[in-house]
Amino acid sequence: MKNIAILGSTGSVGTQALEVIRANPDLYNVTVLSAHSNADLLIAQALEFKPELVVITSDAKYAAVKNTLAGHGIAVHTGEDALSMAAAYESVDLVLTAIVGSVGLRPTIAAIRARKSIALANKETLVVAGELITRLAAEYGVEILPVDSEHSAIYQCLVGEKLDSIEKIYITASGGPFRGRDRSDLLKVTKEQALKHPNWVMGAKITIDSASLMNKGLEVIEARWLFNLRLDQIDVIVHPQSVIHSLVQFNDGSIKAQLGVPDMKLPIHYAMAYPDRIETQFPRFNFMDYPELTFYKPDMETFRNLGLAYTALKKGGNMPCIINAANEIVVDAFLHDQIGFLEMSDVIEQCMSDLEFIQQPDLNNYLETDRLTRIFARELVSKKHLAI
């Protein structure tokens, strides 16, 4: 029986993790749940799974959660600082970080310092501060188990292999809803169109990132730190069927691939059950349903975010932190009809160009870079919105 903390339990990954736990009550126990503002769903989850601790980071929703759960033996806390406390909670064995955005950085550090196993669905943690996180994980002897389907695939392909035998990894991308479209087609696309992902059911932010290929850019940066790779060892290929989740090519020329139906519960369950494989009743992959598997080179001229991510990784320092913070601002602006789809890349690029570059940042540098980037990106978005 593993005691699980789910940070971000009301989001897409969090709710699917609870589906896995619901189907395996003899294997997993929910000890901690957290959400930002979805108080109603958090309350329902808490009443069903009876955790020891619940965190609602929105102060405005705290009273409603606390009052409703009073008398149920569940401690309730609020604020972002409470996330770090929850991540280090004494009785927790595994922390699933399913929070979206750089807010996941501090609780991940807290979990590492408390020597908790980590199932990482918050890719921004490694994008923002990959060098710091991997150094701390090594220092405290903590293994980071990736939950992204692509990184889980790579991780599974590497079981029993030596990292120094990797020649190259291939991260697959569906291409999103706009695959094959040119820049003129994308000038007037709407958020409703961008949110219609062809294969995966995900939250709004990650779905927009998928449409812009920023999701793949962030995954490239994440893979560099997860698997200790050079930039030239990481490639992206578009695979519209989303059946092959990623591939690893070894120095003898052989390639391993991990395949499966596009269902996030598979990598979630793998990370939660690791090092075991536990039988599931999930749908099975059938080759006859996919008579053709196709692959394409990503169009980085149209979808510029992927190239910007490679540039940020090559420069290093706080540059990935800058693109991550800028991207969070522009995605939110796009979802609120304040900026066009292609303009998101323009704002990100200007942030990379104009903000201070720090070659060897510490945690305070990362946090300050994140803060200043958000301010600057909002100013740029405001100017573009006023110009409409």
Side-chain angles (χ1 to χ4, degrees):
M1 179 73 74
K2 286 185 181 178
N3 290 330
I4 310 291
I6 303 179
L7 307 185
S9 65
T10 60
S12 176
V13 171
T15 54
Q16 291 179 83
L18 288 173
E19 287 183 43
V20 172
I21 294 171
R22 192 178 287 117
N24 297 274
D26 56 330
L27 297 177
Y28 309 115
N29 175 59
V30 176
T31 305
V32 174
L33 293 173
S34 88
H36 174 54
S37 60
N38 193 341
D40 291 341
L41 182 53
L42 181 62
I43 289 167
Q45 292 172 344
L47 292 174
E48 177 183 358
F49 290 96
K50 304 296 192 298
E52 297 176 24
L53 172 66
V54 161
V55 173
I56 181 86
T57 56
S58 171
D59 291 338
K61 300 296 181 72
Y62 171 64
V65 176
K66 184 174 178 61
N67 293 339
T68 305
L69 296 181
H72 290 275
I74 301 171
V76 180
H77 293 270
T78 187
E80 290 187 7
D81 288 344
L83 284 176
S84 295
M85 178 268 290
Y89 197 67
E90 184 176 5
S91 58
V92 166
D93 300 311
L94 174 74
V95 179
L96 171 60
T97 59
I99 306 168
V100 175
S102 59
V103 68
L105 176 58
R106 283 179 166 174
T108 302
I109 291 174
I112 291 172
R113 287 177 170 157
R115 291 185 164 86
K116 306 296 183 182
S117 297
I118 296 173
L120 187 67
N122 173 256
K123 63 171 57 66
E124 291 87 356
T125 290
L126 287 176
V127 172
V128 170
E131 186 174 6
L132 172 64
I133 293 296
T134 51
R135 185 174 69 247
L136 283 173
E139 178 183 344
Y140 285 89
V142 171
E143 186 163 21
I144 297 177
L145 301 164
V147 172
D148 266 354
S149 61
E150 296 81 3
H151 298 102
S152 177
I154 296 165
Y155 193 94
Q156 293 179 58
C157 289
L158 290 174
V159 172
E161 304 284 356
K162 296 179 179 179
L163 289 181
D164 61 6
S165 68
I166 300 173
E167 187 168 280
K168 184 180 283 286
I169 66 168
Y170 295 91
I171 299 174
T172 56
S174 70
F178 304 138
R179 178 178 59 84
R181 307 272 289 271
D182 60 28
R183 291 184 64 82
S184 62
D185 293 331
L186 300 180
L187 285 171
K188 298 296 182 180
V189 297
T190 66
K191 64 184 178 186
E192 289 79 14
Q193 293 171 312
L195 287 168
K196 291 180 179 178
H197 195 282
N199 300 331
W200 296 95
V201 177
M202 305 177 291
K205 194 266 183 184
I206 193 172
T207 304
I208 300 302
D209 282 348
S210 179
S212 72
L213 287 194
M214 178 56 88
N215 197 39
K216 290 303 121 179
L218 300 181
E219 288 173 7
V220 166
I221 299 172
E222 189 180 7
R224 180 265 178 270
W225 297 110
L226 277 172
F227 307 110
N228 192 28
L229 299 171
R230 302 186 310 273
L231 182 61
D232 64 344
Q233 290 179 289
I234 309 170
D235 207 350
V236 173
I237 53 173
V238 176
H239 169 49
Q241 295 81 18
S242 295
V243 165
I244 297 176
H245 299 304
S246 278
L247 310 94
V248 179
Q249 180 173 299
F250 296 94
N251 55 14
D252 62 356
S254 64
I255 293 179
K256 282 186 180 180
Q258 189 266 334
L259 288 74
V261 295
D263 185 345
M264 276 302 298
K265 290 192 291 293
L266 289 170
I268 291 168
H269 196 214
Y270 181 83
M272 287 169 53
Y274 185 85
D276 300 318
R277 280 195 186 270
I278 305 297
E279 182 180 351
T280 74
Q281 301 304 312
F282 300 153
R284 270 28 182 184
F285 173 76
N286 185 342
F287 275 101
M288 296 304 101
D289 294 334
Y290 297 89
E292 291 186 358
L293 301 180
T294 54
F295 306 92
Y296 306 92
K297 184 177 180 181
D299 179 1
M300 288 197 284
E301 291 186 8
T302 300
F303 300 92
R304 296 174 53 230
N305 283 351
L306 180 55
L308 293 176
Y310 270 105
T311 298
L313 180 56
K314 183 176 182 180
K315 188 157 188 179
N318 67 334
M319 194 58 70
C321 180
I322 290 173
I323 70 160
N324 179 75
N327 182 63
E328 288 187 23
I329 296 302
V330 297
V331 168
D332 183 72
F334 177 69
L335 288 169
H336 287 88
D337 302 312
Q338 297 170 349
I339 193 173
F341 184 81
L342 293 178
E343 289 178 314
M344 292 192 291
S345 300
D346 298 335
V347 171
I348 294 168
E349 186 174 40
Q350 189 165 348
C351 287
M352 294 172 67
S353 171
D354 293 3
L355 289 163
E356 180 187 6
F357 174 67
I358 303 172
Q359 184 66 64
Q360 294 182 310
D362 57 21
L363 177 59
N364 289 331
N365 294 141
Y366 287 126
L367 296 174
E368 184 67 359
T369 294
D370 182 85
R371 186 184 71 84
L372 293 176
T373 301
R374 290 170 189 275
I375 293 171
F376 186 56
R378 287 190 188 100
E379 291 173 353
L380 295 176
V381 166
S382 180
K383 290 177 182 178
K384 287 183 177 294
H385 184 54
L386 290 173
I388 294 176

